[in-house]
Amino acid sequence: MARKYDGVPVALSRASRTATTAALSGIHLAPGMTACEVVEAVSTVIGKPIFLESTVDDRFKTTTGGFAITPEFVVIVFRGIDPHAYQMHSLFHELGHLLCGHRLCDRPVTQLESGTVDQLLWNEAEREAEFLAYKITSLISRKTRNNQAFG
């Protein structure tokens, strides 16, 4: 049985496109920036320090990252067993949530099932965060778009 998103690009709504554009305009990204510099830029925008925590906790077997907002700071947790590039994508995804003003992520607490995957892929907040993760990576990359694709 084909899922509704097979072969169909997941597009951002007009409202999400506006929100992500505004979120990106609040930080100034440039080729060659490090992940720490991106975290600092987002920290400045949200007005709170951001602490990063790598974990191998069993609760993160099916979740690649998450964040918690406290009155004083934000903690971003990501799965420490993933390849470095995937950890960076997870980090930028969580930063995308923060830039868009999302207060929490709707994520499953149990193993992913087909219905849950459908829900996550079609959740507007997750699409916004995923789009921002892609944009952040492309904006700080030292390579041109053609070089990214071919080496």
Side-chain angles (χ1 to χ4, degrees), residues 118-138:
D118 288 344
Q119 176 187 350
L120 288 174
L121 289 174
W122 292 98
N123 176 301
E124 196 76 11
E126 291 302 317
R127 286 196 304 268
E128 289 173 359
E130 196 63 17
F131 178 74
L132 283 172
Y134 164 77
K135 290 300 287 182
I136 290 169
T137 301
S138 65

Side-chain angles (χ1 to χ4, degrees), residues 20 38-39 42 52 63-67 76-78 85-102 104-107 120-121 123-137:
T20 55
V38 174
V39 169
V42 174
L52 307 179
T63 300
T64 58
F67 68 91
I76 295 177
V77 181
F78 54 91
Y86 196 81
Q87 288 180 27
M88 291 300 97
H89 179 82
S90 297
L91 169 62
F92 295 157
H93 176 97
E94 300 307 326
L95 292 174
H97 280 300
L98 295 172
L99 284 169
C100 283
H102 303 157
L104 56 92
C105 296
D106 292 330
R107 64 173 28 94
L120 288 174
L121 289 174
N123 176 301
E124 196 76 11
E126 291 302 317
R127 286 196 304 268
E128 289 173 359
E130 196 63 17
F131 178 74
L132 283 172
Y134 164 77
K135 290 300 287 182
I136 290 169
T137 301

Side-chain angles (χ1 to χ4, degrees), residues 11-146:
L12 288 176
S13 68
R14 184 170 301 194
S16 287
R17 182 73 60 177
T18 300
T20 55
T21 300
L24 279 175
S25 71
I27 57 175
H28 304 285
L29 302 177
M33 285 180 74
T34 66
C36 289
E37 291 170 328
V38 174
V39 169
E40 190 58 38
V42 174
S43 175
T44 299
V45 167
I46 67 170
K48 294 182 182 196
I50 299 172
F51 298 102
L52 307 179
E53 181 71 33
S54 172
T55 186
V56 293
D57 190 305
D58 282 346
R59 292 174 288 184
F60 277 80
K61 283 186 177 178
T62 59
T63 300
T64 58
F67 68 91
I69 301 173
T70 75
E72 295 84 25
F73 59 89
V74 174
V75 175
I76 295 177
V77 181
F78 54 91
R79 201 166 52 197
I81 60 171
D82 289 333
H84 181 73
Y86 196 81
Q87 288 180 27
M88 291 300 97
H89 179 82
S90 297
L91 169 62
F92 295 157
H93 176 97
E94 300 307 326
L95 292 174
H97 280 300
L98 295 172
L99 284 169
C100 283
H102 303 157
R103 303 301 292 167
L104 56 92
C105 296
D106 292 330
R107 64 173 28 94
V109 293
T110 60
Q111 201 164 21
L112 290 176
E113 298 171 2
S114 176
T116 306
V117 173
D118 288 344
Q119 176 187 350
L120 288 174
L121 289 174
W122 292 98
N123 176 301
E124 196 76 11
E126 291 302 317
R127 286 196 304 268
E128 289 173 359
E130 196 63 17
F131 178 74
L132 283 172
Y134 164 77
K135 290 300 287 182
I136 290 169
T137 301
S138 65
L139 290 169
I140 68 170
S141 175
R142 291 180 187 191
K143 297 180 180 180
T144 65
R145 187 170 280 183
N146 287 340

